[in-house]
Amino acid sequence: MENLKNIPWQEKPENCNTVMWRYSENPIIDRYAIPSSNSIFNSAVVPFEDGYAGVFRCDNKAVQMNIFAGFSKNGIDWDINHEPISFKAGNTEMIDSDYKYDPRVVFIEDRYWITWCNGYHGPTIGIGYTFDFKEFFQCENAFLPFNRNGVLFPKKINGKYAMLSRPSDNGHTAFGDIYISYSPDMKYWGEHRCVMKVAPFEQSAWQCTKIGAGPIPILTNEGWLVFYHGVIATCNGFRYSIGASILDENEPDKVKYRSQPYLMAPAELYELTGDVPNVIFPCAAVHSEKEDKLALYYGAADTVTAMAFGKLSEIIDFVKNNSL
Ligand code: BMA
């Protein structure tokens, strides 16, 4: 379990009756935070040296999607590089990429692994790594197109790397369930198993159209805590909310608990308005088990980056006590 000392944090407001609460100074990253950007959202953060590093999705003013490295002392105020990440060849020479978006980052063993939605004849899951957030290496894509929301587990499970993903189509996919795949070497992926499907409309409509894993799973006493986005197709388009599930520690295709109500749904102005209204999309979380603190990073309305906080123990209890 991680026991970070400098978790970004703000106490729960007195009048708040929900399990998670938003940072009062949201959004933490403005859409124009670097000179080229149209929007900065759906981005990943990880503890690094005496602070934090991140991989940020910055769409430019031609609305080309790419990922950029950034650094922060406190996890809230960020300096994002003005140039996108440039990858060298990792475990392959084939590092084609028409675009990159929705990154996740995790430290495993000796390096920081990055996954993202990689444009290769349509979206699929790109994989790369870095030791220092200066030099980056790109590996083989994990899957065939079309796939999105590739999220690595932070350690090997039964001797293999494990990754959640969401097979999709080439458009604004109107379906989507979460699968798990395993790899002995971060190059060849197989043993694909279904983990979670969309919920029945009449039971939990916020997650009835598609679901996709968000931050890196967190190992707790109950199993793997997985925040995910759930989507409902409304008459005005998709609405993205945030829920959580708990997967079995050693057999993570087994769902132990899954939140029937959402943990968070679009409600603040910066979530309700923007380039794509009514979207909150989590890609990272940092936590301390000892301090019982969790800070969640999410993109808001495909435009800006925001944060929310919660007590780990209360989030776990909420998922257990309100399970589908
Ligand atoms: C998905 C992805 C996300 C985005 C979401 C809502 O398909 O493109 O990056 O946040 O749609 O537009």
Side-chain angles (χ1 to χ4, degrees), residues 41-42 57 101-102 148 172 210 240 276 279 281 302:
F41 58 109
N42 301 4
R57 170 177 176 177
Y101 66 83
D102 295 359
R148 293 186 173 94
H172 299 292
K210 51 180 169 174
Y240 282 66
V276 185
V279 177
F281 195 102
D302 284 9

Side-chain angles (χ1 to χ4, degrees), residues 25-137:
E25 306 306 309
N26 271 348
I28 59 163
I29 301 171
D30 177 69
R31 65 184 304 165
Y32 299 131
I34 62 171
S36 60
S37 61
N38 165 73
S39 46
I40 305 180
F41 58 109
N42 301 4
S43 297
V45 165
V46 76
F48 176 66
E49 295 179 342
D50 58 349
Y52 295 90
V55 177
F56 293 87
R57 170 177 176 177
C58 306
D59 295 4
N60 69 16
K61 292 183 181 70
V63 194
Q64 295 171 292
M65 304 176 281
N66 214 332
I67 55 178
F68 294 62
F71 302 91
S72 172
K73 286 274 172 245
N74 61 9
I76 295 176
D77 303 303
W78 287 90
D79 287 320
I80 301 175
N81 292 349
H82 292 185
E83 292 301 320
I85 292 173
S86 162
F87 285 93
K88 298 172 181 167
N91 66 12
T92 175
E93 296 296 317
M94 204 303 290
I95 60 171
D96 294 7
S97 181
D98 295 332
Y99 49 78
K100 299 183 179 76
Y101 66 83
D102 295 359
R104 275 58 166 196
V105 186
V106 60
F107 184 81
I108 311 175
E109 294 161 345
D110 63 347
R111 66 192 73 183
Y112 299 89
W113 290 93
I114 305 162
T115 55
W116 66 89
C117 187
N118 193 42
Y120 178 75
H121 305 275
T124 185
I125 306 303
I127 303 182
Y129 63 86
T130 180
F131 295 97
D132 54 10
F133 288 90
K134 291 190 188 105
E135 212 181 9
F136 292 85
F137 299 89

